[in-house]
Amino acid sequence: MANVTDPLARPIHGTNPQNLIEYITRQRIYDSQYWKEHLFGCTAADVAEKAALQLQAIGGSYGGNAKPTRFLCLVLKMLQIQPDDEIVDELINNENFKYVRALGAFYLRLTGRPADIYQKLEPLYNDSRKLKYRNPSDWKILFMDEFVDQLLKEDRVCGIALPRLPNRDVLVESGYLDGPRISAVSALLDLPSETGGIDDESKLEQCQDGAEKVLSLIMKMAQDGNNIAIDTLTERGHTVSDQGTTGMTESEFNGGDTHGSENVNDDGNKVKPIDVENDKKKRKSTDKKRSKSKKKFGSLFKVSAKPLKDETDSTSKQATKEKEVEQSDEYWNNQRAKLGLNPLRE
């Protein structure tokens, strides 16, 4: 009876709340050790405490046996007990524990109404804290705003199929939402009001200054490794390197330092610059020497099995001599004498 949904829980999207997670994944969660030892008989307060103290990453299933993560186990437990909306709001508004906020956001995306999802999850775009995300085979760093963007735009997150979410424009036209989303970047733009008596040139200057501020912030986010910031810069034609720098000079990247062309140690001592071409030539020469040594001595199974030229020549000469001796009359007379036969007639 530990896996049965609370009898007082209301159906969500016309079905049992636990059915929002696929049957196979649900059975693997029931069979997991964390579910049996730590989540038996838990209340909403216990789930929040365990999420704050024991949750160290988000993700779905991992490994060859598709073992569920603790994050997925806690999500299923919340679907089973169905906490109140006020408790879910407290989880989302919690700023001290980022994984508690991620758990509440994921649960709201599964069970909430579309208008509530947009109203309560869009403020989380301002949260840029890092989250550890566990893939089926490896780990990666995911930011909170990226995770929220996936919840609002993608169909599957953490290996779970999310309910269909209509576009924001549709909800605005139908009257469920009031106007477009107000971004936190709008305060940096300093856009002039339409009723103010300001010239068009001054308005254009203010808009350009705000756009430059936003672009500098996006560049900083790209340097920190934010994938969304890197994608936006590439769409606008900015070059993004492997480290996330976007078309910046060396002095700008080093914080305005004039010693961008010199190589300096941590102690402040100068280091000779590395000549890439000479290094490539040295590597090629060493590779050639290694290949020659391998061809000369060979390995145990491949090259050494082939006979050398001197050995093949000596063996071929011995074989020809033996054939000539076998074809002579003396050889056959000796063999017949051993057998007690008369010699061959001339």
Side-chain angles (χ1 to χ4, degrees):
M1 300 296 290
N3 302 332
V4 180
T5 308
D6 188 359
L8 299 177
R10 65 182 185 276
I12 298 174
H13 303 296
T15 184
N16 189 351
Q18 293 193 77
N19 292 337
L20 296 175
I21 296 178
E22 289 83 353
Y23 176 78
I24 297 174
T25 305
R26 195 166 65 245
Q27 294 298 323
R28 286 171 179 164
I29 293 173
Y30 294 154
D31 296 335
S32 64
Q33 185 178 2
Y34 183 74
W35 176 270
K36 295 177 181 178
E37 292 185 358
H38 298 278
L39 299 182
F40 178 78
C42 289
T43 60
D46 296 333
V47 171
E49 182 181 358
K50 292 180 183 299
L53 299 178
Q54 299 179 1
L55 198 60
Q56 300 295 328
I58 62 174
S61 302
Y62 65 94
N65 298 327
K67 184 178 179 180
T69 58
R70 293 184 177 183
F71 179 79
L72 213 58
C73 295
L74 290 171
V75 170
L76 183 60
K77 193 65 182 180
M78 291 182 68
L79 292 173
Q80 183 182 1
I81 63 178
Q82 198 178 63
D84 297 334
D85 296 337
E86 297 177 355
I87 297 175
V88 177
D89 294 340
E90 289 296 327
L91 295 178
I92 295 173
N93 296 326
N94 191 347
E95 297 181 355
N96 297 324
F97 300 97
K98 54 187 178 181
Y99 292 106
V100 174
R101 171 173 280 188
L103 180 65
F106 192 85
Y107 177 78
L108 180 65
R109 178 64 181 84
L110 286 173
T111 61
R113 294 180 299 175
D116 295 336
I117 291 172
Y118 280 108
Q119 290 177 355
K120 295 178 181 179
L121 294 188
E122 282 178 348
L124 301 185
Y125 275 117
N126 303 331
D127 193 351
S128 59
R129 288 179 291 181
K130 295 181 180 180
L131 299 172
K132 287 188 289 186
Y133 184 83
R134 184 155 198 173
N135 287 323
S137 59
D138 58 354
W139 294 82
K140 73 174 184 179
I141 296 296
L142 190 70
F143 292 87
M144 179 66 76
D145 53 355
E146 289 183 276
F147 181 65
V148 174
D149 189 70
Q150 290 179 3
L151 292 176
L152 295 177
K153 293 182 179 179
E154 295 185 3
D155 297 331
R156 296 185 69 90
V157 178
C158 297
I160 303 300
L162 301 177
R164 185 183 177 277
L165 185 67
N167 293 329
R168 198 180 196 284
D169 298 336
V170 177
L171 297 177
V172 172
E173 291 177 358
S174 57
Y176 291 101
L177 295 176
D178 297 333
R181 179 175 69 89
I182 300 174
S183 176
V185 185
S186 60
L188 298 172
L189 293 175
D190 296 332
L191 295 176
S193 61
E194 296 180 357
T195 58
I198 304 175
D199 298 333
D200 294 336
E201 294 180 357
S202 59
K203 287 182 181 180
L204 181 61
E205 290 178 357
Q206 290 182 4
C207 293
Q208 288 177 353
D209 294 337
E212 289 178 357
K213 292 180 182 179
V214 174
L215 183 60
S216 63
L217 288 176
I218 295 174
M219 286 182 177
K220 290 181 181 179
M221 293 172 65
Q223 292 177 12
D224 294 335
N226 195 327
N227 294 326
I228 296 177
I230 294 172
D231 294 338
T232 53
L233 290 173
T234 52
E235 288 178 359
R236 295 186 179 185
H238 296 279
T239 57
V240 181
S241 62
D242 295 335
Q243 296 179 354
T245 56
T246 57
M248 300 173 68
T249 60
E250 293 182 358
S251 60
E252 291 176 352
F253 180 72
N254 294 325
D257 190 5
T258 57
H259 299 286
S261 60
E262 295 179 355
N263 296 323
V264 182
N265 277 334
D266 297 333
D267 299 332
N269 299 323
K270 293 183 180 179
V271 182
K272 293 181 180 180
I274 300 171
D275 194 354
V276 180
E277 294 181 357
N278 292 331
D279 289 340
K280 289 182 179 179
K281 291 179 181 179
K282 289 180 182 179
R283 288 177 184 175
K284 288 181 180 179
S285 62
T286 53
D287 293 338
K288 287 181 180 179
K289 289 180 181 179
R290 288 177 183 174
S291 62
K292 287 181 180 179
S293 61
K294 286 182 180 180
K295 289 180 180 179
K296 183 177 180 181
F297 298 102
S299 61
L300 294 175
F301 301 101
K302 292 183 179 179
V303 182
S304 61
K306 296 180 181 180
L308 298 175
K309 291 182 178 180
D310 297 335
E311 294 179 357
T312 53
D313 293 338
S314 60
T315 52
S316 61
K317 289 179 181 179
Q318 290 179 0
T320 53
K321 289 181 180 179
E322 289 178 357
K323 288 181 180 179
E324 291 177 354
V325 171
E326 289 178 357
Q327 293 176 359
S328 63
D329 295 337
E330 295 179 358
Y331 175 78
W332 291 112
N333 288 329
N334 293 329
Q335 295 296 326
R336 292 175 68 86
K338 290 178 182 179
L339 297 174
L341 300 175
N342 295 326
L344 295 172
R345 295 179 182 179
E346 294 181 1

